[in-house]
Amino acid sequence: MPKLVDHQERREAIALALWRVVDHGGWNRATLREVAREAGVSLGQLQHYFASRAAMLSFAMDFAAERTADRVARGLAEVDQPPHPRDVLRLVLVEMLPLHPDARASSRMSAAYVLEALHDVALREQATLGLRDGRAMIEGLVRQAIAQGQIAPGRDPDVETDLILALTGFTPLLDLEVITPHAALAAIDQHLNRLFTDAAWSGPR
Amino acid sequence: MPKLVDHQERREAIALALWRVVDHGGWNRATLREVAREAGVSLGQLQHYFASRAAMLSFAMDFAAERTADRVARGLAEVDQPPHPRDVLRLVLVEMLPLHPDARASSRMSAAYVLEALHDVALREQATLGLRDGRAMIEGLVRQAIAQGQIAPGRDPDVETDLILALTGFTPLLDLEVITPHAALAAIDQHLNRLFTDAAWSGPR
């Protein structure tokens, strides 16, 4: 179905144009008109793909989540198999933080998206579901690691999951260069060192 | 100098109107015109106090930081004297998270402010200085606690400071009700339990 593929490709190209607008000019610039200009299409063409700004943002966020998942999957292909839960958690955290251009763009999108979602019912539902899915994925890894003896059995999986999620709090500190990427990674590794007790993990790379 | 006091009071009333606009309608609504309407003044009167949207945001952020510091100071007056570094850190964290209306308003202002600061030189400088001051204050408490034996001497003060700051990462999770205030507080207390080793602290309140 070449037509459907074209449609998806065009939507992704528009989502990337939206990211560039947000990355360079900030959220206030992310109007349908500005994104159409950046994507090199007319406003009418853009509206053929996205009926509203909210629909465009919603697609762009899903697309960002997919690209993040792809980066994590590529990273996982390079570690020992089967991947140690610690390696998975580290990769997820690293790809959620603004440490390279692609992650920076989706991180800024995501921060702006949360703010907009607080005042838009449909966006709020999508943002909440996305965060809940992310939290459930991390909780699954934590519970698996406890069951496999890689995390001490006395640890509370809910608390540990939330403390891992909290590490995304480095985002504004990295964006404004209050801490360095090196410092953020050192803190993440220190946190994971204290969480994981087993010797099966092959050490920092 | 009653005139100066009036001026400051009027500016604070406008900052509060800005918070209400952001809290109810989101960041995109925070124009000079909308804030003037909410504050019950004319656009011309508002511009007498703030020459630009950026000047208004800048003042509103400073004002939010002052109010947060006031809440922390009030909280500190209620704990054992002199305050244990752990109590100070807990209070600072609690007041930075969106756990009650005043903190929620300044937390949302702050998140939006960071995003806007990425694309505005003057705002960026102010936001960076504010975060650096906050980080230095927390680092001072961590170093003091290490010197006093309340945190184990082997702990790296830079890493511990960054891990404490990361706990502000609960903000979007609380805003979108992915975690409960109870869960955020439990995770903060667990983190502080592992950081502080001494028995001088009088326990959770």
Side-chain angles (χ1 to χ4, degrees), chain B residues 11 14 19-20 22 35 58 60 82-83 106 114 119 121 150 161-162 180 185-186 188 203 205:
Chain B
R11 283 161 68 100
I14 292 169
W19 290 13
R20 289 196 299 275
V22 171
V35 173
S58 169
S106 50
V114 167
H119 308 284
V121 174
Q150 296 150 332
T161 299
D162 292 338
T180 63
L185 293 172
I188 288 170
R205 291 136 215 274

PDB file of all heavy atoms in Angstrom, chain B residues 11 14 19-20 22 35 58 60 82-83 106 114 119 121 150 161-162 180 185-186 188 203 205:
ATOM      1  N   ARG B  11       3.441  45.130  41.508  1.00  0.00           N
ATOM      2  CA  ARG B  11       4.152  44.148  40.692  1.00  0.00           C
ATOM      3  C   ARG B  11       3.876  42.725  41.189  1.00  0.00           C
ATOM      4  O   ARG B  11       3.697  41.805  40.395  1.00  0.00           O
ATOM      5  CB  ARG B  11       5.669  44.436  40.710  1.00  0.00           C
ATOM      6  CG  ARG B  11       6.061  45.603  39.814  1.00  0.00           C
ATOM      7  CD  ARG B  11       7.415  46.171  40.166  1.00  0.00           C
ATOM      8  NE  ARG B  11       8.523  45.280  39.879  1.00  0.00           N
ATOM      9  CZ  ARG B  11       9.300  45.384  38.800  1.00  0.00           C
ATOM     10  NH1 ARG B  11       9.099  46.333  37.916  1.00  0.00           N
ATOM     11  NH2 ARG B  11      10.291  44.557  38.609  1.00  0.00           N
ATOM     12  N   ILE B  14       0.516  41.614  40.122  1.00  0.00           N
ATOM     13  CA  ILE B  14       0.537  41.241  38.701  1.00  0.00           C
ATOM     14  C   ILE B  14       1.193  39.871  38.526  1.00  0.00           C
ATOM     15  O   ILE B  14       0.721  39.038  37.750  1.00  0.00           O
ATOM     16  CB  ILE B  14       1.249  42.333  37.874  1.00  0.00           C
ATOM     17  CG1 ILE B  14       0.404  43.618  37.873  1.00  0.00           C
ATOM     18  CG2 ILE B  14       1.506  41.852  36.444  1.00  0.00           C
ATOM     19  CD1 ILE B  14       1.105  44.843  37.317  1.00  0.00           C
ATOM     20  N   TRP B  19       0.581  33.972  37.474  1.00  0.00           N
ATOM     21  CA  TRP B  19       0.533  32.578  37.954  1.00  0.00           C
ATOM     22  C   TRP B  19      -0.835  31.973  37.703  1.00  0.00           C
ATOM     23  O   TRP B  19      -0.950  30.837  37.282  1.00  0.00           O
ATOM     24  CB  TRP B  19       0.823  32.500  39.453  1.00  0.00           C
ATOM     25  CG  TRP B  19       2.220  32.804  39.838  1.00  0.00           C
ATOM     26  CD1 TRP B  19       3.192  33.369  39.056  1.00  0.00           C
ATOM     27  CD2 TRP B  19       2.808  32.575  41.109  1.00  0.00           C
ATOM     28  NE1 TRP B  19       4.339  33.506  39.776  1.00  0.00           N
ATOM     29  CE2 TRP B  19       4.133  33.032  41.034  1.00  0.00           C
ATOM     30  CE3 TRP B  19       2.337  32.048  42.302  1.00  0.00           C
ATOM     31  CZ2 TRP B  19       5.004  32.965  42.117  1.00  0.00           C
ATOM     32  CZ3 TRP B  19       3.193  31.978  43.375  1.00  0.00           C
ATOM     33  CH2 TRP B  19       4.521  32.431  43.283  1.00  0.00           C
ATOM     34  N   ARG B  20      -1.894  32.751  38.023  1.00  0.00           N
ATOM     35  CA  ARG B  20      -3.262  32.211  37.849  1.00  0.00           C
ATOM     36  C   ARG B  20      -3.521  31.922  36.372  1.00  0.00           C
ATOM     37  O   ARG B  20      -4.110  30.895  36.035  1.00  0.00           O
ATOM     38  CB  ARG B  20      -4.302  33.199  38.399  1.00  0.00           C
ATOM     39  CG  ARG B  20      -4.304  33.300  39.920  1.00  0.00           C
ATOM     40  CD  ARG B  20      -5.575  33.977  40.446  1.00  0.00           C
ATOM     41  NE  ARG B  20      -5.746  35.357  39.972  1.00  0.00           N
ATOM     42  CZ  ARG B  20      -5.196  36.423  40.541  1.00  0.00           C
ATOM     43  NH1 ARG B  20      -4.418  36.300  41.598  1.00  0.00           N
ATOM     44  NH2 ARG B  20      -5.416  37.627  40.048  1.00  0.00           N
ATOM     45  N   VAL B  22      -1.312  31.150  34.058  1.00  0.00           N
ATOM     46  CA  VAL B  22      -0.540  29.965  33.681  1.00  0.00           C
ATOM     47  C   VAL B  22      -1.180  28.708  34.277  1.00  0.00           C
ATOM     48  O   VAL B  22      -1.323  27.686  33.610  1.00  0.00           O
ATOM     49  CB  VAL B  22       0.934  30.094  34.135  1.00  0.00           C
ATOM     50  CG1 VAL B  22       1.685  28.779  33.944  1.00  0.00           C
ATOM     51  CG2 VAL B  22       1.630  31.209  33.357  1.00  0.00           C
ATOM     52  N   VAL B  35      -2.775  38.818  31.080  1.00  0.00           N
ATOM     53  CA  VAL B  35      -2.402  39.043  32.479  1.00  0.00           C
ATOM     54  C   VAL B  35      -3.003  40.354  32.981  1.00  0.00           C
ATOM     55  O   VAL B  35      -3.482  40.437  34.122  1.00  0.00           O
ATOM     56  CB  VAL B  35      -0.864  39.023  32.641  1.00  0.00           C
ATOM     57  CG1 VAL B  35      -0.462  39.434  34.056  1.00  0.00           C
ATOM     58  CG2 VAL B  35      -0.318  37.634  32.321  1.00  0.00           C
ATOM     59  N   SER B  58      10.393  37.348  34.186  1.00  0.00           N
ATOM     60  CA  SER B  58      11.598  37.395  35.002  1.00  0.00           C
ATOM     61  C   SER B  58      11.245  37.780  36.447  1.00  0.00           C
ATOM     62  O   SER B  58      11.681  37.132  37.402  1.00  0.00           O
ATOM     63  CB  SER B  58      12.567  38.406  34.377  1.00  0.00           C
ATOM     64  OG  SER B  58      13.611  38.677  35.247  1.00  0.00           O
ATOM     65  N   ALA B  60       8.264  37.512  37.844  1.00  0.00           N
ATOM     66  CA  ALA B  60       7.389  36.476  38.419  1.00  0.00           C
ATOM     67  C   ALA B  60       8.206  35.276  38.913  1.00  0.00           C
ATOM     68  O   ALA B  60       7.868  34.662  39.924  1.00  0.00           O
ATOM     69  CB  ALA B  60       6.355  36.030  37.388  1.00  0.00           C
ATOM     70  N   PRO B  82      19.336  23.642  66.281  1.00  0.00           N
ATOM     71  CA  PRO B  82      19.405  24.115  64.886  1.00  0.00           C
ATOM     72  C   PRO B  82      18.910  23.035  63.941  1.00  0.00           C
ATOM     73  O   PRO B  82      19.041  21.851  64.251  1.00  0.00           O
ATOM     74  CB  PRO B  82      20.914  24.351  64.703  1.00  0.00           C
ATOM     75  CG  PRO B  82      21.572  23.402  65.644  1.00  0.00           C
ATOM     76  CD  PRO B  82      20.660  23.295  66.834  1.00  0.00           C
ATOM     77  N   PRO B  83      18.329  23.397  62.801  1.00  0.00           N
ATOM     78  CA  PRO B  83      17.743  22.398  61.912  1.00  0.00           C
ATOM     79  C   PRO B  83      18.786  21.399  61.417  1.00  0.00           C
ATOM     80  O   PRO B  83      19.914  21.769  61.092  1.00  0.00           O
ATOM     81  CB  PRO B  83      17.211  23.232  60.734  1.00  0.00           C
ATOM     82  CG  PRO B  83      17.108  24.619  61.244  1.00  0.00           C
ATOM     83  CD  PRO B  83      18.199  24.763  62.261  1.00  0.00           C
ATOM     84  N   SER B 106       4.145  27.793  41.170  1.00  0.00           N
ATOM     85  CA  SER B 106       5.523  28.190  40.884  1.00  0.00           C
ATOM     86  C   SER B 106       6.265  27.076  40.142  1.00  0.00           C
ATOM     87  O   SER B 106       7.129  27.354  39.308  1.00  0.00           O
ATOM     88  CB  SER B 106       6.265  28.628  42.156  1.00  0.00           C
ATOM     89  OG  SER B 106       6.128  27.705  43.173  1.00  0.00           O
ATOM     90  N   VAL B 114      11.924  27.522  32.053  1.00  0.00           N
ATOM     91  CA  VAL B 114      13.124  26.843  31.534  1.00  0.00           C
ATOM     92  C   VAL B 114      13.007  26.669  30.019  1.00  0.00           C
ATOM     93  O   VAL B 114      13.943  26.941  29.273  1.00  0.00           O
ATOM     94  CB  VAL B 114      13.334  25.472  32.222  1.00  0.00           C
ATOM     95  CG1 VAL B 114      14.362  24.637  31.478  1.00  0.00           C
ATOM     96  CG2 VAL B 114      13.775  25.669  33.670  1.00  0.00           C
ATOM     97  N   HIS B 119      15.563  29.805  24.635  1.00  0.00           N
ATOM     98  CA  HIS B 119      15.550  30.579  23.387  1.00  0.00           C
ATOM     99  C   HIS B 119      15.561  32.069  23.643  1.00  0.00           C
ATOM    100  O   HIS B 119      15.195  32.849  22.774  1.00  0.00           O
ATOM    101  CB  HIS B 119      14.318  30.190  22.564  1.00  0.00           C
ATOM    102  CG  HIS B 119      14.213  28.723  22.369  1.00  0.00           C
ATOM    103  ND1 HIS B 119      15.008  28.045  21.481  1.00  0.00           N
ATOM    104  CD2 HIS B 119      13.479  27.782  22.999  1.00  0.00           C
ATOM    105  CE1 HIS B 119      14.745  26.762  21.552  1.00  0.00           C
ATOM    106  NE2 HIS B 119      13.830  26.573  22.467  1.00  0.00           N
ATOM    107  N   VAL B 121      18.145  34.912  25.577  1.00  0.00           N
ATOM    108  CA  VAL B 121      19.447  35.050  26.248  1.00  0.00           C
ATOM    109  C   VAL B 121      19.301  35.553  27.684  1.00  0.00           C
ATOM    110  O   VAL B 121      19.899  34.996  28.611  1.00  0.00           O
ATOM    111  CB  VAL B 121      20.380  35.975  25.426  1.00  0.00           C
ATOM    112  CG1 VAL B 121      21.662  36.243  26.197  1.00  0.00           C
ATOM    113  CG2 VAL B 121      20.692  35.336  24.084  1.00  0.00           C
ATOM    114  N   GLN B 150      27.043  13.345  59.519  1.00  0.00           N
ATOM    115  CA  GLN B 150      25.644  12.924  59.321  1.00  0.00           C
ATOM    116  C   GLN B 150      25.477  12.176  57.994  1.00  0.00           C
ATOM    117  O   GLN B 150      24.518  11.435  57.806  1.00  0.00           O
ATOM    118  CB  GLN B 150      24.726  14.157  59.367  1.00  0.00           C
ATOM    119  CG  GLN B 150      24.737  14.829  60.743  1.00  0.00           C
ATOM    120  CD  GLN B 150      24.481  16.317  60.668  1.00  0.00           C
ATOM    121  OE1 GLN B 150      24.800  16.956  59.661  1.00  0.00           O
ATOM    122  NE2 GLN B 150      23.946  16.877  61.733  1.00  0.00           N
ATOM    123  N   THR B 161      24.716  15.718  45.673  1.00  0.00           N
ATOM    124  CA  THR B 161      23.954  16.935  45.383  1.00  0.00           C
ATOM    125  C   THR B 161      23.098  16.741  44.133  1.00  0.00           C
ATOM    126  O   THR B 161      21.902  17.070  44.118  1.00  0.00           O
ATOM    127  CB  THR B 161      24.923  18.118  45.171  1.00  0.00           C
ATOM    128  OG1 THR B 161      25.673  18.304  46.375  1.00  0.00           O
ATOM    129  CG2 THR B 161      24.173  19.393  44.843  1.00  0.00           C
ATOM    130  N   ASP B 162      23.711  16.184  43.074  1.00  0.00           N
ATOM    131  CA  ASP B 162      22.959  15.991  41.831  1.00  0.00           C
ATOM    132  C   ASP B 162      21.823  14.988  42.010  1.00  0.00           C
ATOM    133  O   ASP B 162      20.730  15.169  41.453  1.00  0.00           O
ATOM    134  CB  ASP B 162      23.905  15.558  40.707  1.00  0.00           C
ATOM    135  CG  ASP B 162      24.862  16.677  40.305  1.00  0.00           C
ATOM    136  OD1 ASP B 162      24.521  17.858  40.571  1.00  0.00           O
ATOM    137  OD2 ASP B 162      25.937  16.392  39.753  1.00  0.00           O
ATOM    138  N   THR B 180       1.449   9.314  43.123  1.00  0.00           N
ATOM    139  CA  THR B 180       0.715  10.083  44.127  1.00  0.00           C
ATOM    140  C   THR B 180       1.703  10.915  44.954  1.00  0.00           C
ATOM    141  O   THR B 180       2.895  10.580  45.027  1.00  0.00           O
ATOM    142  CB  THR B 180      -0.039   9.152  45.090  1.00  0.00           C
ATOM    143  OG1 THR B 180       0.938   8.352  45.791  1.00  0.00           O
ATOM    144  CG2 THR B 180      -0.997   8.241  44.342  1.00  0.00           C
ATOM    145  N   LEU B 185       6.687  11.369  48.338  1.00  0.00           N
ATOM    146  CA  LEU B 185       7.273  11.600  49.663  1.00  0.00           C
ATOM    147  C   LEU B 185       7.973  10.345  50.186  1.00  0.00           C
ATOM    148  O   LEU B 185       9.043  10.433  50.796  1.00  0.00           O
ATOM    149  CB  LEU B 185       6.196  12.078  50.646  1.00  0.00           C
ATOM    150  CG  LEU B 185       5.610  13.464  50.334  1.00  0.00           C
ATOM    151  CD1 LEU B 185       4.419  13.768  51.237  1.00  0.00           C
ATOM    152  CD2 LEU B 185       6.682  14.547  50.475  1.00  0.00           C
ATOM    153  N   ALA B 186       7.385   9.177  49.928  1.00  0.00           N
ATOM    154  CA  ALA B 186       8.013   7.918  50.369  1.00  0.00           C
ATOM    155  C   ALA B 186       9.367   7.735  49.679  1.00  0.00           C
ATOM    156  O   ALA B 186      10.349   7.311  50.303  1.00  0.00           O
ATOM    157  CB  ALA B 186       7.087   6.736  50.062  1.00  0.00           C
ATOM    158  N   ILE B 188      11.310  10.142  48.419  1.00  0.00           N
ATOM    159  CA  ILE B 188      12.234  11.151  48.954  1.00  0.00           C
ATOM    160  C   ILE B 188      12.782  10.689  50.307  1.00  0.00           C
ATOM    161  O   ILE B 188      13.987  10.757  50.564  1.00  0.00           O
ATOM    162  CB  ILE B 188      11.518  12.522  49.084  1.00  0.00           C
ATOM    163  CG1 ILE B 188      11.298  13.123  47.685  1.00  0.00           C
ATOM    164  CG2 ILE B 188      12.301  13.477  49.980  1.00  0.00           C
ATOM    165  CD1 ILE B 188      10.406  14.349  47.679  1.00  0.00           C
ATOM    166  N   GLY B 203      13.830  11.453  63.315  1.00  0.00           N
ATOM    167  CA  GLY B 203      12.862  10.551  62.692  1.00  0.00           C
ATOM    168  C   GLY B 203      11.782  11.270  61.915  1.00  0.00           C
ATOM    169  O   GLY B 203      11.656  12.489  62.024  1.00  0.00           O
ATOM    170  N   ARG B 205       8.381  12.866  60.637  1.00  0.00           N
ATOM    171  CA  ARG B 205       7.301  13.541  61.378  1.00  0.00           C
ATOM    172  C   ARG B 205       5.987  13.276  60.677  1.00  0.00           C
ATOM    173  O   ARG B 205       5.917  13.290  59.500  1.00  0.00           O
ATOM    174  CB  ARG B 205       7.554  15.065  61.354  1.00  0.00           C
ATOM    175  CG  ARG B 205       8.753  15.410  62.176  1.00  0.00           C
ATOM    176  CD  ARG B 205       9.634  16.424  61.444  1.00  0.00           C
ATOM    177  NE  ARG B 205      11.047  16.161  61.720  1.00  0.00           N
ATOM    178  CZ  ARG B 205      11.688  16.629  62.761  1.00  0.00           C
ATOM    179  NH1 ARG B 205      11.090  17.409  63.591  1.00  0.00           N
ATOM    180  NH2 ARG B 205      12.949  16.345  62.936  1.00  0.00           N
TER     181      ARG B 205
END
